[in-house]
Amino acid sequence: MTSSSKISLEELNRKLADPSLSEQELQKYFTVDDEKSGPFNPVLEINRELVTVPATPEGRARSAALLNSANFISRLRRQAAFHNRIGSGDYKGPVIVSEGDSWFQYPFRLMDVIDQLMKHYAIFSLDAAGDTLSNMLRQAEYMDAIENTGASIFLFSGGGNDVVAGGNLAAHLFDFDPALPPEGHLRPSFETMLDDAIGMYGKLVRQVAKAFPKVQILCHGYDYTIPAKGNWLGKPMESRGIKDPDFQRAIARVMIDRFNERLSLLQSSSARLNYINCRNTVNTTEWFDELHPTDNGYAKVAQKFAALIEQFAAKARDVEHKASKARAARSKAPSAATAAVETPARLAAAGSRATDGPSGMSLHIGLNMVSAAHYAGWEGPLRACEFDASDMQEIANSLGYETTSLLTKEATRQNVIREIKKAARDLKQGDIFLISYSGHGGQLPDFNNDEDDSTDETWCLYDGQLVDDELYGLWSEFRAGVRVLVVSDSCHSGTVVRAGVPNGHALANGHAVAAGIPRAMPIDVATRTFRQNRDFYARLGASMALGEGRNLTREITSPISCSVRLISGCQDNQVSLDGIGNGAFTAALISTWNHGRFNRDYAAFHRAIMMKLPPDQTPNHWQVGPRNPIYDAQTPFAI
C-alpha cells in the first residue's frame, strides 16, 4: 500500500469526530495488541498500513493519546448519536441506558452488542471495555443516567473479568490429572470468586430495581468461550499441564455454566431482572478471540436482547428525554465527589422491597411467660421478648414483608406451626420467609437418636415446646429456591445453665451491657416439664425423622429444598440474656442494623453483632439446605 493511500493522524481524528461515520467504517484503522490487552480490556493499536504515524516523539505521543482515549471517544460518539435520535422528534421507541464491559463496548474494532442495538434504539451508553463490576457499582453512573433520561430499560453486562479470574486463571486451576473430570480441575477459590462477583451483581441490580420501579433490567451470561492458546484461557491451562484442546473447552464450559447458573438464580430473587441465556448462540467460527465474538456473533447475541426489548417496548410509554449534554460528555474516570455520595432516597431503598420483585412473609414470636399448666407450675417470666418481636416486626414492615406476630398466649404450638405451614404453602422460588423468636430455650431427651449430646433443643412456646426436629420437618415443606431466615434470641439447650452468667455489667467492645435473666428453661423445670408431659413428648419424638444433630446424616436422609439461615443469640453452651427494652442479642442486632444503613452481607452482620455482645454470649450463624450464593451476598433481611 502506498503512502499516498494512507490517512494522517489528523484525518483519523476528524473521522472519529464525524458522527455520520459508523464504527464499522472505522474498524479498518485499528488493530488489537494481544500482548498488552487484558481480559475484556482490549488495547488498540493504529493500523499503520492505513494511517501514517510520524516516527517522531511528537507523532508517537499523539498516537498514544488517541488510543488512550478510545473508550472515551467511543462513548462520546454513542451519546451524540443518542441525543441526535431523541432530538429528532421522530423516535418513538423505548429510551435505554446501558452499562457494561467489552461485550457492550469493544471500541472501533468490533461491532459489539450495543453497536448492533443502536441501529434501532436510542441507547445512552456508559459502557467501557475493561470496566469491572466493582468499578461500575462504586461509580453507579447508571443511576443518574436512568433518572435523567427517563429510561424504561437498563441493559447490563458484567462479570466477564471474574469468569476468567482477571487474567490469573492458572491460580484457580489444579495441575492436570487424567483421573479428574473437567470440573475437578477448578479449585474451590474459583467458586468463591464467582460468589463475590454475583454478590456485587446482585447489589447493582437491587439498587436499580428499588430506585426505579418501572425499569426493566436486561442482563446476559456469556457464551461458551473457546480456549485458543490465548493469555486468558489457553495459556493458563497449558501452564497447569492441561493441553488437550477438547479438555480445555470442557473446563471453559464448566466455568461459563457456573456463572450462568448464578445469574439464573439471581433472576429468581430479583425484581424485573431478565436474564438472557446466550449459551450456544455464537458458532465456533464466530469468535474474534478467546473472549469476544465476531461482528456476526455479536449480532446473534443482540437479537436476543432485541426480542426482549421489543416485548417491553410494547408496554412502555413514550418518555420525555431529559439527559443533560454535560452529563453525557462526562468521562468514565471515577470522581470522589460523585462516587461516595448516596441520596437519602437511594439509601432508604437499599433494603426495601422492589415493585414486582420476590415476596417476603415474616412471623414474629415473643413470649414474656409460658403456661404454668404445661411447664409444671413454672411461668418463666421475662421482660423484653414481646418488645423484641414488635421491633423485629417493625423492621420487616419497613422492608415490605407481609408480617404476623404471635405474642405470649397467642404463641402456641398450633399457631406457630400453622403460620410456618402457611408460608411454606404460599412462597415460591426466590421468595423469603423471616421468622424471629424471643423466649426461653429448652431441652428434651433425644427420642430418635439423632443428637450427639442425646438432647433435642426446643423453643418454649406458650403451651408446649417446639422441637428442633419439628422445625427441620417444617423447612422440608418449603419449595426449592425459597430463602428462610431464622433469628432466635434464646438459649437452644437447657444445658446452657452450666455456663457462667455475668454479674453486674460486662464489657462488649468497650460498651457496658447490663446483665439480665438467661433465656433458658432451668434444668429442674425442664425435668419436671418432661416428666409431667412424658407421653406427649415421647409420641412426638418417635414420630419424627432423623434430626439436626448429625447434620451430614440428616442432609443425606432428609434433604430440604429451601436455604435456611439461622442467626441465634448464643452458642449451645452459653446463655442469651433478657433485658429491659430488648434482649441483649436483639438489642445488638437492632443497633447493628441501624435503620437499614448496614449494607454488608450476612457473615459481616453476624460478626458485627458479635462485637457488641460480651465474650460469654457469642451469636451463632448456621446454615442448612442447598447453598445459595445470592442469599449469602445479600444485605440482611433483603427481600
Side-chain angles (χ1 to χ4, degrees), residues 250 316 396 405 524 552 582:
S405 66
D524 60 326
L552 179 60
N582 291 107

Side-chain angles (χ1 to χ4, degrees), residues 159-239:
N161 278 287
D162 301 278
V163 173
V164 295
N168 192 31
L169 180 60
H172 301 279
L173 292 170
F174 289 112
D175 289 335
F176 177 67
D177 184 344
L180 290 177
E183 60 270 22
H185 286 78
L186 290 167
R187 292 179 180 270
S189 59
F190 179 76
E191 300 291 335
T192 302
M193 183 172 56
L194 289 188
D195 289 346
D196 289 342
I198 209 68
M200 289 185 285
Y201 214 116
K203 288 179 181 178
L204 186 151
V205 167
R206 187 174 293 271
Q207 182 186 38
V208 172
K210 289 167 188 165
F212 304 103
K214 295 183 179 179
V215 169
Q216 295 289 339
I217 306 168
L218 278 60
C219 73
H220 71 95
Y222 301 91
D223 202 350
Y224 291 123
T225 57
I226 301 176
K229 298 185 180 297
N231 293 332
W232 322 120
L233 293 171
K235 288 181 179 178
M237 291 182 182
E238 287 183 356
S239 73

